[in-house]
PDB file of all heavy atoms in Angstrom:
ATOM      1  N   TYR A 147      25.986  35.417  18.775  1.00 67.00           N
ATOM      2  CA  TYR A 147      25.618  34.100  19.324  1.00 67.00           C
ATOM      3  C   TYR A 147      26.794  33.138  19.192  1.00 67.00           C
ATOM      4  O   TYR A 147      27.469  33.091  18.293  1.00 67.00           O
ATOM      5  CB  TYR A 147      24.361  33.621  18.565  1.00 67.00           C
ATOM      6  CG  TYR A 147      23.147  34.296  18.986  1.00 67.00           C
ATOM      7  CD1 TYR A 147      22.782  35.521  18.335  1.00 67.00           C
ATOM      8  CD2 TYR A 147      22.316  33.893  19.959  1.00 67.00           C
ATOM      9  CE1 TYR A 147      21.653  36.236  18.677  1.00 67.00           C
ATOM     10  CE2 TYR A 147      21.081  34.524  20.376  1.00 67.00           C
ATOM     11  CZ  TYR A 147      20.890  35.680  19.644  1.00 67.00           C
ATOM     12  OH  TYR A 147      19.699  36.481  20.080  1.00 67.00           O
ATOM     13  N   TYR A 204      -0.297  43.737  31.918  1.00 90.00           N
ATOM     14  CA  TYR A 204      -1.041  45.044  31.956  1.00 90.00           C
ATOM     15  C   TYR A 204      -2.475  44.910  31.456  1.00 90.00           C
ATOM     16  O   TYR A 204      -3.189  45.774  31.783  1.00 90.00           O
ATOM     17  CB  TYR A 204      -0.298  46.024  30.974  1.00 90.00           C
ATOM     18  CG  TYR A 204      -0.253  45.595  29.593  1.00 90.00           C
ATOM     19  CD1 TYR A 204      -1.314  45.772  28.685  1.00 90.00           C
ATOM     20  CD2 TYR A 204       0.902  44.797  29.118  1.00 90.00           C
ATOM     21  CE1 TYR A 204      -1.345  45.370  27.429  1.00 90.00           C
ATOM     22  CE2 TYR A 204       0.896  44.386  27.785  1.00 90.00           C
ATOM     23  CZ  TYR A 204      -0.163  44.638  26.962  1.00 90.00           C
ATOM     24  OH  TYR A 204      -0.252  44.203  25.628  1.00 90.00           O
TER      25      TYR A 204
ATOM     26  P    DA C   5       2.273  45.194  24.186  1.00 76.36           P
ATOM     27  OP1  DA C   5       1.683  45.452  22.826  1.00 76.36           O
ATOM     28  OP2  DA C   5       1.505  45.162  25.390  1.00 76.36           O
ATOM     29  O5'  DA C   5       3.064  43.762  23.964  1.00 76.36           O
ATOM     30  C5'  DA C   5       3.400  42.945  25.106  1.00 76.36           C
ATOM     31  C4'  DA C   5       3.650  41.452  24.675  1.00 76.36           C
ATOM     32  O4'  DA C   5       2.495  41.025  24.027  1.00 76.36           O
ATOM     33  C3'  DA C   5       4.806  41.373  23.647  1.00 76.36           C
ATOM     34  O3'  DA C   5       5.294  40.121  23.701  1.00 76.36           O
ATOM     35  C2'  DA C   5       4.046  41.504  22.284  1.00 76.36           C
ATOM     36  C1'  DA C   5       2.819  40.748  22.572  1.00 76.36           C
ATOM     37  N9   DA C   5       1.652  41.167  21.820  1.00 76.36           N
ATOM     38  C8   DA C   5       0.788  42.246  22.133  1.00 76.36           C
ATOM     39  N7   DA C   5      -0.137  42.376  21.249  1.00 76.36           N
ATOM     40  C5   DA C   5       0.128  41.432  20.353  1.00 76.36           C
ATOM     41  C6   DA C   5      -0.541  41.109  19.166  1.00 76.36           C
ATOM     42  N6   DA C   5      -1.593  41.662  18.707  1.00 76.36           N
ATOM     43  N1   DA C   5       0.001  40.026  18.500  1.00 76.36           N
ATOM     44  C2   DA C   5       1.118  39.342  18.887  1.00 76.36           C
ATOM     45  N3   DA C   5       1.712  39.664  20.060  1.00 76.36           N
ATOM     46  C4   DA C   5       1.208  40.658  20.697  1.00 76.36           C
ATOM     47  P    DT C   8      18.800  36.801  23.387  1.00 76.36           P
ATOM     48  OP1  DT C   8      19.446  36.328  22.187  1.00 76.36           O
ATOM     49  OP2  DT C   8      18.266  35.967  24.399  1.00 76.36           O
ATOM     50  O5'  DT C   8      19.723  37.857  24.169  1.00 76.36           O
ATOM     51  C5'  DT C   8      20.224  39.039  23.438  1.00 76.36           C
ATOM     52  C4'  DT C   8      21.028  39.832  24.481  1.00 76.36           C
ATOM     53  O4'  DT C   8      20.172  40.375  25.389  1.00 76.36           O
ATOM     54  C3'  DT C   8      22.157  39.052  25.191  1.00 76.36           C
ATOM     55  O3'  DT C   8      23.288  39.775  25.021  1.00 76.36           O
ATOM     56  C2'  DT C   8      21.630  39.036  26.577  1.00 76.36           C
ATOM     57  C1'  DT C   8      20.797  40.286  26.660  1.00 76.36           C
ATOM     58  N1   DT C   8      19.669  40.300  27.736  1.00 76.36           N
ATOM     59  C2   DT C   8      19.524  41.291  28.578  1.00 76.36           C
ATOM     60  O2   DT C   8      20.210  42.281  28.495  1.00 76.36           O
ATOM     61  N3   DT C   8      18.516  41.160  29.434  1.00 76.36           N
ATOM     62  C4   DT C   8      17.596  40.052  29.536  1.00 76.36           C
ATOM     63  O4   DT C   8      16.718  40.036  30.439  1.00 76.36           O
ATOM     64  C5   DT C   8      17.838  39.094  28.614  1.00 76.36           C
ATOM     65  C7   DT C   8      16.941  37.794  28.725  1.00 76.36           C
ATOM     66  C6   DT C   8      18.862  39.138  27.784  1.00 76.36           C
TER      67       DT C   8
END
Side-chain angles (χ1 to χ4, degrees):
Chain A
Y147 285 86
Y204 59 86

